[in-house]
Amino acid sequence: MTMSARLRSGMRVIEHWAAEAYQAEKNALYTALFTVLDGSVFRTYEIIDDEERAEEFYVRVRPKLLMKIRLHHFDSFGVVFIGTPEDAGLPEAGSPPEAPPAAA
């Protein structure tokens, strides 16, 4: 089932990031953004849930490029973060997950 959503917030986040991004990165991000709009993002990209905020998730656009989306309602969303996995506190694609700390 495909839904259609609209971008309700986050244009400043996109504009700020795009001011210094390479064109190839912009193209990749805009393509991913359109999949959020048409509802196919969950079938097209790796999705990483935000365990602290149920209404937010990361879209791995490229191995070193994430976009964080906040769902406002079933038909609207916002962009709250664009950056590297490191900036988001997440591992890069293909990186092994961190091992839990050893028990003392």
Side-chain angles (χ1 to χ4, degrees):
M1 179 169 136
T2 302
M3 60 176 242
S4 179
R6 61 187 167 86
L7 180 62
R8 192 174 94 184
S9 64
M11 283 306 298
R12 285 195 175 126
V13 173
I14 296 168
E15 290 168 355
H16 182 269
W17 170 82
E20 297 190 18
Y22 292 108
Q23 189 62 48
E25 291 176 317
K26 291 179 198 178
N27 293 347
L29 185 107
Y30 298 150
T31 298
L33 192 56
F34 281 114
T35 66
V36 177
L37 289 166
D38 75 10
S40 67
V41 67
F42 299 103
R43 294 187 313 268
T44 310
Y45 289 92
E46 178 186 356
I47 303 300
I48 304 165
D49 291 327
D50 184 330
E51 295 179 9
E52 296 177 8
R53 293 184 172 96
E55 72 280 2
E56 295 182 4
F57 61 91
Y58 292 94
V59 178
R60 190 176 304 274
V61 178
R62 290 183 155 195
K64 295 186 178 190
L65 179 60
L66 296 176
M67 171 174 54
K68 189 174 187 183
I69 300 296
R70 177 181 297 136
L71 298 175
H72 296 299
H73 299 286
F74 66 91
D75 65 345
S76 65
F77 68 96
V79 176
V80 295
F81 170 83
I82 301 170
T84 66
E86 181 180 295
D87 291 339
L90 299 171
E92 290 183 23
S95 297
E98 290 185 24

